[in-house]
Amino acid sequence: MKKLQEQTNDMSAVTFDERGLVPVVVQDYTTGEVLMLAYANEEALRLTQESGELYLFSRSRKRLWHKGETSGNVMKVRRLTLDCDGDAVLALVCPEGPACHTGHRSCFFEDIMKGPDGDATFPGKLWQYLLRRKGADPKESYTAKLISQGLPRVAQKVGEEGVELAIALTLNDKGQIIYEASDLVYHVLVSLIAAGVSIDDVRCELASRHGEKL
């Protein structure tokens, strides 16, 4: 697939429809959530490339639309990627607020077919939740309390949970493995927040090791 940001000022690879528009699927860079579906014309894509913020074209208002121009919930664009036919764009963004005018994080929140809980976007959503809990009252939030106790205490908890998972693995107790792995993942995420390390930093490191194999 061809990345638009590598084709600065060249829209020749994009197939616009008869109205001069192309659909844009907007996805959260950190969580993987699909946030919205909108449309862009050539000018909107150029402005997005130049500014690093998402510009779209409003079909109802028939004009350019800087996402967040009214609400302040702008979207910083990390990447624009074309699909295989060149007639749809995927925008990976870091949103500074809800994507939906209803106040929801995503415009996709009405299930018409129920599925299992804990989809693939859950780890990223958990990360966002823990970032918010960092600033909570330590008396009411275990996450805030643990972070307030400092890195040595957080490191101790990560070590304890790692040992407990190792014991569960040694016993080959599937239920306990799942339980202890969940505890360890939670505490690792909290440790990153306490240390001021972004989950994106870890993802980039993993990608540098394994990205070409995926």
Side-chain angles (χ1 to χ4, degrees), residues 57-66 69-70:
F57 186 85
S58 172
R59 293 174 298 165
S60 60
R61 290 173 285 180
K62 293 182 172 50
R63 67 171 180 85
L64 280 173
W65 167 30
H66 180 197
E69 62 188 6
T70 302

Side-chain angles (χ1 to χ4, degrees), residues 31-193:
T31 69
E33 295 169 273
V34 176
L35 300 177
M36 60 187 293
L37 171 65
Y39 289 81
N41 61 6
E42 184 172 339
E43 185 179 1
L45 292 181
R46 289 192 193 282
L47 286 170
T48 297
Q49 289 176 323
E50 293 168 2
S51 70
E53 295 185 354
L54 187 63
Y55 279 78
L56 300 162
F57 186 85
S58 172
R59 293 174 298 165
S60 60
R61 290 173 285 180
K62 293 182 172 50
R63 67 171 180 85
L64 280 173
W65 167 30
H66 180 197
K67 178 61 178 171
E69 62 188 6
T70 302
S71 66
N73 299 327
V74 299
M75 293 183 170
K76 303 291 186 181
V77 179
R78 297 296 297 267
R79 177 177 294 173
L80 294 178
T81 305
L82 273 176
D83 80 340
C84 56
D85 295 320
D87 58 2
V89 175
L90 175 65
L92 297 181
V93 305
C94 294
E96 296 192 356
C100 187
H101 71 281
T102 64
H104 286 81
R105 273 186 51 80
S106 168
C107 293
F108 296 93
F109 56 86
E110 293 285 354
D111 288 334
I112 58 174
M113 178 179 175
K114 289 289 185 181
D117 292 332
D119 62 30
T121 67
F122 182 78
K125 289 189 283 190
L126 176 60
W127 171 259
Q128 296 286 2
Y129 172 76
L130 294 177
L131 283 175
R132 295 194 299 271
R133 296 302 287 170
K134 176 184 177 181
D137 185 344
K139 295 179 181 178
E140 300 178 356
S141 167
Y142 172 73
T143 299
K145 179 180 178 181
L146 183 57
I147 292 174
S148 71
Q149 292 172 339
L151 271 176
R153 175 57 178 159
V154 176
Q156 180 185 0
K157 287 298 298 180
V158 171
E160 291 173 0
E161 299 301 339
V163 170
E164 290 176 6
L165 175 58
I167 293 172
L169 287 165
T170 301
L171 297 174
N172 196 21
D173 183 331
K174 183 176 180 180
Q176 199 63 21
I177 290 171
I178 294 171
Y179 184 87
E180 298 299 348
S182 299
D183 271 354
L184 180 58
V185 169
Y186 162 80
H187 282 91
V188 167
L189 292 177
V190 172
S191 72
L192 294 176
I193 293 172

